Amino acid sequence: MTTPPLAAPALDQHMQAAAQWHQQGQIERAAEAYRAVLAQQPRHTQALQMLGVAEMQLGHAELAVQVLRSLVHLTPHDADTLCNLGSALEMQGALANLHVHLDADL
């Protein structure tokens, strides 16, 4: 059984709920909501950004790097994205290799 696609207003509602849960410290719940949005709209830049941040907060640096690298492809000059990617790489102990990641992604 497949989940029916979310309409644009439903996507907005999912993002609003996710942001609220995120602010309340319900990071796992927020991450699930971001993933639900991305299942319907894989290039949703705000959901990608926030999922990357949530994964870092959950201690999942490798997942955060994957998510944020995919976002770099969509928004290669976005300072928040690059900063968050740097933070995730630092969590992995790979910050010294940031230029390698950026060269590969850009």
Side-chain angles (χ1 to χ4, degrees):
M1 187 169 137
T2 59
T3 305
L6 297 171
L11 282 174
D12 291 342
Q13 290 173 348
H14 265 67
M15 284 301 298
Q16 289 173 359
Q20 185 175 24
W21 292 325
H22 207 148
Q23 290 172 349
Q24 294 172 348
Q26 298 178 51
I27 309 303
E28 288 184 22
R29 191 173 184 189
E32 288 176 20
Y34 298 136
R35 284 188 206 95
V37 169
L38 292 167
Q40 300 297 319
Q41 195 173 0
R43 296 170 60 99
H44 193 290
T45 57
Q46 184 182 7
L48 285 165
Q49 184 80 261
M50 296 312 298
L51 179 58
V53 170
E55 294 295 0
M56 280 192 291
Q57 290 173 317
L58 292 168
H60 306 150
E62 188 172 328
L63 288 173
V65 168
Q66 286 179 314
V67 170
L68 293 166
R69 284 186 76 184
S70 68
L71 183 55
V72 166
H73 290 289
L74 300 174
T75 59
H77 303 291
D78 182 71
D80 289 334
T81 302
L82 297 173
C83 182
N84 287 330
L85 177 58
S87 295
L89 288 167
E90 183 177 33
M91 283 181 69
Q92 276 189 317
L95 185 59
N97 297 326
L98 179 60
H99 70 282
V100 172
H101 289 277
L102 291 179
D103 288 345
D105 293 332
L106 301 176

